[in-house]
Amino acid sequence: MKFNTKVIHGNQQHEPATGAVMVPIYQTSTFAQSSPGKHKGYEYSRAANPTRTALENAFAAIENGTHGFAFSSGLAATDCVLRLLNPNDEIIAGDDLYGGTYRMFTKLFEKYGLKFTFVDMDNPENVKKAITKNTKLIWMETPTNPLLKVADISAITKIAKEHNILSVVDNTFATPYLQQPLDLGADIVMHSATKYLGGHSDVVMGALMVKDAKLAEDLHFIQFAGGGIAGPMDSFLALRGVKTLAIRMQRHCENGMAVAEFLENHPKVEQVYYPGLKSHANHDIAKKQMRDFGGMLSFRLKGDSKKDTFTLLENLKVFTLAESLGGVESLANHPATMTHASIPKEEREKLGITDSLIRLSVGIEDKEDLIADLESVLKLV
Ligand SMILES: Cc1ncc(COP(=O)(O)O)c(C=O)c1O
């Protein structure tokens, strides 16, 4: 199947009892047994639930994996991956990451003896240099949140394989419509399915996808034993979202490029971060590994004034000022005070997450309305 077909039909079947075209919401915690241990494949919904199974099968299909796992949030999925490791193991991660991922690494897992090294993944050589005999995992986020940095997935997974290190890609910003990391050598793909996979800002969920049976068995054990599973109602909503992923992404990409070009040419804008622009540091790598460039971008104002930035954000009419991203509606976010406030100020500023940095999740409205909204608030500063 090609991708547009796969998001709708990949690993799906009509409900066998009634022929229902959409999987029902099996809102049940448990399943009757005819004799102890004798059942129809389902025992207890933490282990498996038919609505979640349908979604997990769809997750596997869209990332070209063999197994998918649905969690109660993106961070619960990340937590599951880290539990594969043991004390004294080392992890190399990108230096620009979603703030909550950084917080989990440094505030939750360091105290259990895991050691994290953060490197600039713009250049794969930086990853190679950071490897030690204890390195067990390489964590990539590409494009990154919020600076849209792009890492060369094939180059870094090649280095990981040479050293027998597991590689993970947080594919939340790109989605499998734009890039499929398992095909580029990654062992695990992770998503905040809260974002583009769900697509409608109505569910918080995480996903993991793999194509190795042993890794799938280990992750399923942690999912079951740790308990951070997605519920049936949320699984139904996310499955409905996945079916329109391809068509939504087409419009996100078209609008994302139009907004990025508008901002890049605006006299009050200092810099735009969007992998589709020639000015992007790794535009060539983005062109090589991505089908298009998505709906996420960030920009910084000339003068870097927090006051001007707040004026701009408070007066937007079509864009909503809110955390999160990847839904059909356009959102604006101020990373320094919102999504990335958990990163210490000096760290943030060293990376470029300054007071005037604004992150946009460009939705699927008419691009003329989005540009007019930005044009009118830029007149106020
Ligand atoms: C790139 C990325 N990874 C992971 C997460 C965490 O996902 P969740 O909020 O679903 O726990 C987010 C949330 O914004 C994100 O943007």
Side-chain angles (χ1 to χ4, degrees), residues 73-75 98 141 145 170 172-173 190 192 194-195 205 325:
S73 69
L75 287 180
Y98 166 58
E141 187 179 295
N145 182 0
D170 179 339
T172 300
F173 270 34
M190 177 264 155
S192 169
T194 314
K195 311 296 165 15
M205 185 179 285
L325 59 106

Side-chain angles (χ1 to χ4, degrees), residues 195-221:
K195 311 296 165 15
Y196 288 102
L197 300 190
H200 296 78
S201 308
D202 52 9
V203 69
V204 174
M205 185 179 285
L208 297 178
M209 296 81 159
V210 296
K211 57 180 178 187
D212 175 82
K214 172 71 175 70
L215 197 49
E217 195 185 312
D218 293 347
L219 290 171
H220 181 252
F221 176 75

Side-chain angles (χ1 to χ4, degrees), residues 161-180:
K161 281 194 170 46
E162 282 163 8
H163 293 82
N164 213 11
I165 298 169
L166 218 51
S167 59
V168 186
V169 175
D170 179 339
N171 204 25
T172 300
F173 270 34
T175 84
Y177 175 83
L178 297 180
Q179 68 191 16
Q180 290 167 311

